[in-house]
Amino acid sequence: MKGLNLIDKLIFIVNSLFATALLLAYLLPYIPPNTFPFLSVLSLGMPLLLIINFIFFLFWAIRFKRQVLLSFFILLIGINHILSLYKFSNDQLQADTNDDKTFSLMTYNVRQFNRYDWIRDFSVTKEIITFVEKEDPDILLVQEFHEREDV
């Protein structure tokens, strides 16, 4: 940190803190969440940490300072995490979507099949069932499901 003025030293300290946070975020997939529950939340901020470290990388690169190496190596170490976080499409993959390997997926919030009569129409349950049968999805995901006896 020789040759840096006071503001640059403070910026480098902040850069070091964000670099350390990003390193911890890289390690979190290999640590059980119950070991450090507070740090598990850090993985949610990984995209932001990547952006901040990239900004620090650009800042030091534009100023031609050797402190650029910190952000460079932190980003280089996590290149596999970056590539697993962001996927780039391939035109050939998009062309293959019209083959026989497709399936339909339906997700439906059935609101407990109107168990508490939030909607005054009493045929809601039968309408939901009819709609799902008509769509006939390969995979059906149902939220707020409650099994009713009168159906």
Side-chain angles (χ1 to χ4, degrees):
M1 289 194 358
K2 288 182 180 179
L4 294 178
N5 61 27
L6 182 62
I7 293 175
D8 284 344
K9 287 180 183 180
L10 289 174
I11 291 173
F12 186 69
I13 290 171
V14 172
N15 184 6
S16 300
L17 292 173
F18 278 106
T20 303
L22 187 57
L23 273 177
L24 286 173
Y26 289 156
L27 292 175
L28 285 175
Y30 307 106
I31 300 173
N34 59 355
T35 307
F36 299 106
F38 179 72
L39 286 179
S40 298
V41 178
L42 187 62
S43 63
L44 296 174
M46 189 164 174
L48 182 63
L49 290 172
L50 286 169
I51 292 169
I52 290 171
N53 277 286
F54 187 72
I55 290 171
F56 278 122
F57 171 76
L58 291 177
F59 174 78
W60 295 116
I62 290 171
R63 301 193 63 205
F64 296 111
K65 299 287 186 177
R66 65 180 173 173
Q67 282 73 16
V68 72
L69 295 175
L70 174 66
S71 293
F72 174 75
F73 284 123
I74 294 298
L75 292 172
L76 185 66
I77 288 170
I79 194 74
N80 287 335
H81 292 282
I82 295 169
L83 294 177
S84 68
L85 188 60
Y86 299 103
K87 299 287 183 190
F88 300 100
S89 65
N90 185 354
D91 292 337
Q92 184 177 0
L93 287 176
Q94 291 176 356
D96 292 340
T97 57
N98 292 331
D99 59 6
D100 293 334
K101 297 178 184 175
T102 61
F103 63 91
S104 63
L105 171 74
M106 175 188 249
T107 178
Y108 201 132
N109 186 340
V110 295
R111 293 183 48 148
Q112 297 184 4
F113 290 109
N114 201 25
R115 179 179 184 194
Y116 300 109
D117 296 325
W118 293 309
I119 301 172
R120 296 289 178 219
D121 185 7
F122 296 109
S123 66
V124 171
T125 303
K126 294 200 185 321
E127 289 176 11
I128 291 172
I129 293 171
T130 305
F131 177 72
V132 171
E133 287 174 346
K134 184 184 93 175
E135 293 296 319
D136 191 30
D138 295 323
I139 299 172
L140 175 64
L141 305 169
V142 182
Q143 294 87 35
E144 296 186 29
F145 176 80
H146 175 72
E147 193 170 340
R148 291 185 66 150
E149 291 80 24
D150 61 339
V151 178

